[in-house]
Amino acid sequence: MQKVYEALMQGKDIRNNLIALKQMLKEEGALDTYLSMTEDDEMIAAFLKDEDPKTRKNAALVLGLVLSQESIDKLWEAYESEQQLFVKSAYLSAMQKLDCRSYEAQLKRRYKQLSAYEPQEEEKKHIQEELMELRRMVIQFDGGISRHPFTGYKHPQDFILTTLKNYQDTTSVQIENGVTRIIPMGVQVAAGDIREALNIRTFREMLFTIRCDKNLPPRPSVIANELARSNLMRMLGDMHEGEAPFYFRLEIKGSMPLDKKAGFAKKLAAEIEQRTNRFLVNSTEHYEVEIRLMENRTGGFYPCVKLFTIPMKRFSYRKYTTSASMHPSMAALLVELASNWLTEYAQVIDAFCGTGTLLMERMYALPVRNAYATDIFSDAIQGARENAGIAHMQINFILRSFMSFTHAFEFHEIWADMPVRGRKTKEEQDEFYRAFFEKAQELLKIKGRIFLYCSENGLVKKYLRLLDEVWHLRQEFCIREKDGTYFYIIEKKQ
């Protein structure tokens, strides 16, 4: 960095050295190194007046990266006087990182003017970049967006409840109002009751369908035009209080490469804004609506909408999670599949509880007498205690390996989301399963049951076969064929 800085001081190859400095400043600890070399940023700020527009652009970005508050006025002056559209967003990007409240009124005025401006085709890209930066600043000034209150409970609605493949029926049978249809991604509901659906625990997401072409070609202008002509804007207006705009993000599901997807999403977002007259405004950080496009086999896209304005309280207890935490809708599905085998007022233990999701979903389904949970990770146990407190559930969490756990009374149910093999050898994993079944035999009552979720089908079947005099496999579910995960209900024989 020292050589690059000295070259800039000498006025050598300014543009390329600014680019190099910009890249260096993104590395950890680089800012401290830079600050140790200079007492002010006058030299960098001087490049804002360079005749080369790319030099001006990179100088602005560097001033933002070094948090040069003393340059705020110069950045504003450069922004106001800049004639090259592709440079203007760089000044705003830099100002965002600084305290720019003294320019709040001017920036909001500029945002309003630019929002009403109809750019020429050759201007669109750069105007959208400037608008995006201005929007971030306006949202920041206003303390974030104010979400529209959701009022869509009053009338029947069309929506999709996404579920695990092959287990759509588990959710479908819980829907009493509306017409249901099984589709690959879940359950499609026509004229459904949203309040009723929000009490169902076995679906993952609620998506709203849009009345438009269901096989949109991968062309931003065509997709935006279809969405603008659809019922999307009317639907958002009818289901919420308040006026436009609605802030949205795009989620594109499919095989499109990441680099191409980013460009595609950027163009599409700009087109949507323009064709909806900014009824919909793109904001990747603050949003209340997600427009989701799911690629089909022909390369077209199926459109739907996810609303972040709907209060989702099903899993409000789940404040603390880890990377290994089971999604609560998956836990709820397993409990629902096991519903015919549960014991009311049982003594229950979760062998590898993590942050407690599986055990708490079990307790939501049917009352228990006593609940215990073991895990060897202290952070997970602490998170589980916090989650149980939020859920107002009495659970005895124990920081200990299940294999060494002992108790004076036997249990009716053992729940186990078995740890993945990770770095264990095949032999070590085999020994782990042997020890688990041995400990389960010790802790369970006669006719007690293991509810076991894992991806080691071979090992489970091995120990059920070797310990045939102890265990009876009552039911088996293939949860995900792709990764070989199964759910077993195993009973201890007399």
Side-chain angles (χ1 to χ4, degrees), residues 57-108:
K57 177 178 180 177
N58 284 288
L61 294 172
V62 167
L63 290 171
L65 288 169
V66 300
L67 307 177
S68 179
Q69 185 61 41
E70 64 270 20
S71 300
I72 188 70
D73 294 334
K74 293 176 181 177
L75 283 164
W76 174 253
E77 290 168 10
Y79 171 68
E80 278 201 305
S81 61
E82 184 59 63
Q83 299 300 308
Q84 296 291 332
L85 289 179
F86 79 90
V87 183
K88 292 182 80 71
S89 62
Y91 301 120
L92 298 172
S93 176
M95 290 178 70
Q96 277 183 67
K97 298 178 175 67
L98 311 174
D99 182 355
C100 55
R101 284 173 291 182
S102 57
Y103 293 103
E104 179 177 347
Q106 294 98 312
L107 287 162
K108 284 184 172 180

Side-chain angles (χ1 to χ4, degrees), residues 22-31:
K22 180 181 68 176
Q23 292 304 118
M24 291 175 184
L25 286 166
K26 294 176 182 178
E27 297 174 6
E28 188 175 350
L31 181 56

Side-chain angles (χ1 to χ4, degrees), residues 76 79-80 88 92 96 103-119 126-142 144-145 244-248 269 273-274 276-284 286 288:
W76 174 253
Y79 171 68
E80 278 201 305
K88 292 182 80 71
L92 298 172
Q96 277 183 67
Y103 293 103
E104 179 177 347
Q106 294 98 312
L107 287 162
K108 284 184 172 180
R109 186 161 56 247
R110 173 63 176 165
Y111 175 62
K112 188 175 181 180
Q113 291 169 347
L114 206 59
S115 294
Y117 176 64
E118 289 292 336
H126 304 309
I127 292 293
Q128 285 298 330
E129 288 173 350
E130 185 180 353
L131 261 175
M132 182 173 65
E133 298 298 344
L134 283 166
R135 183 179 305 123
R136 285 176 178 157
M137 299 173 88
V138 169
I139 291 173
Q140 186 177 347
F141 289 139
D142 293 340
I145 67 169
F246 285 82
Y247 289 90
F248 79 95
E273 282 196 21
Q274 183 181 354
T276 62
N277 293 317
R278 294 192 168 77
F279 181 98
L280 289 164
V281 171
N282 183 232
S283 177
T284 56
H286 305 274
E288 51 193 335

Side-chain angles (χ1 to χ4, degrees), residues 119-348:
Q120 301 295 318
E121 191 62 37
E122 64 274 12
E123 298 177 318
K124 277 186 178 179
K125 176 183 176 182
H126 304 309
I127 292 293
Q128 285 298 330
E129 288 173 350
E130 185 180 353
L131 261 175
M132 182 173 65
E133 298 298 344
L134 283 166
R135 183 179 305 123
R136 285 176 178 157
M137 299 173 88
V138 169
I139 291 173
Q140 186 177 347
F141 289 139
D142 293 340
I145 67 169
S146 179
R147 289 186 177 175
H148 293 77
F150 182 78
T151 58
Y153 306 110
K154 295 179 284 189
H155 304 292
Q157 305 289 349
D158 298 341
F159 51 84
I160 295 169
L161 302 179
T162 67
T163 68
L164 201 63
K165 186 180 179 183
N166 299 327
Y167 291 96
Q168 297 97 322
D169 283 340
T170 307
T171 295
S172 179
V173 297
Q174 299 177 67
I175 299 170
E176 295 181 2
N177 292 287
V179 179
T180 61
R181 184 167 71 94
I182 301 300
I183 59 175
M185 64 191 296
V187 183
Q188 189 169 40
V189 185
D193 183 332
I194 290 180
R195 288 190 191 277
E196 175 193 70
L198 292 178
N199 288 320
I200 297 172
R201 307 185 74 81
T202 52
F203 74 90
R204 191 178 183 103
E205 292 182 294
M206 176 181 283
L207 304 176
F208 291 87
T209 54
I210 304 170
R211 293 173 190 164
C212 68
D213 186 352
K214 298 299 191 288
N215 185 27
L216 298 172
R219 292 165 53 195
S221 60
V222 175
I223 294 175
N225 189 51
E226 278 290 318
L227 293 177
R229 291 170 52 195
S230 74
N231 68 326
L232 176 57
M233 289 187 283
R234 186 176 70 255
M235 179 177 72
L236 293 175
D238 290 346
M239 294 169 74
H240 298 88
E241 285 182 1
E243 302 298 320
F246 285 82
Y247 289 90
F248 79 95
R249 72 182 289 269
L250 284 169
E251 178 69 18
I252 300 170
K253 301 276 192 181
S255 59
M256 189 182 293
L258 283 177
D259 55 343
K260 186 178 178 183
K261 185 183 292 186
F264 179 85
K266 196 172 182 180
K267 289 179 183 177
L268 177 55
E271 290 280 356
I272 290 172
E273 282 196 21
Q274 183 181 354
R275 291 175 187 268
T276 62
N277 293 317
R278 294 192 168 77
F279 181 98
L280 289 164
V281 171
N282 183 232
S283 177
T284 56
E285 296 165 357
H286 305 274
Y287 51 85
E288 51 193 335
V289 176
E290 176 184 287
I291 298 175
R292 186 174 299 183
L293 300 174
M294 292 170 285
E295 189 177 13
N296 58 32
R297 294 178 182 176
T298 65
F301 289 102
Y302 180 93
C304 53
V305 169
K306 180 176 179 178
L307 298 179
F308 292 92
T309 52
I310 302 177
M312 292 288 182
K313 299 179 181 179
R314 293 183 302 158
F315 308 121
S316 56
Y317 67 84
R318 196 171 181 257
K319 183 177 180 181
Y320 297 95
T321 64
T322 68
S323 59
S325 294
M326 179 182 287
H327 193 278
S329 65
M330 171 64 82
L333 171 65
L334 299 182
V335 173
E336 185 67 24
L337 293 176
S339 59
N340 291 333
W341 301 98
L342 303 182
T343 302
E344 192 169 14
Y345 299 111
Q347 286 235 133
V348 179

Side-chain angles (χ1 to χ4, degrees), residues 398-410:
I398 301 162
L399 182 60
R400 182 184 298 177
S401 168
F402 174 72
M403 308 309 185
S404 63
F405 174 77
T406 58
H407 198 270
F409 302 100
E410 293 178 318

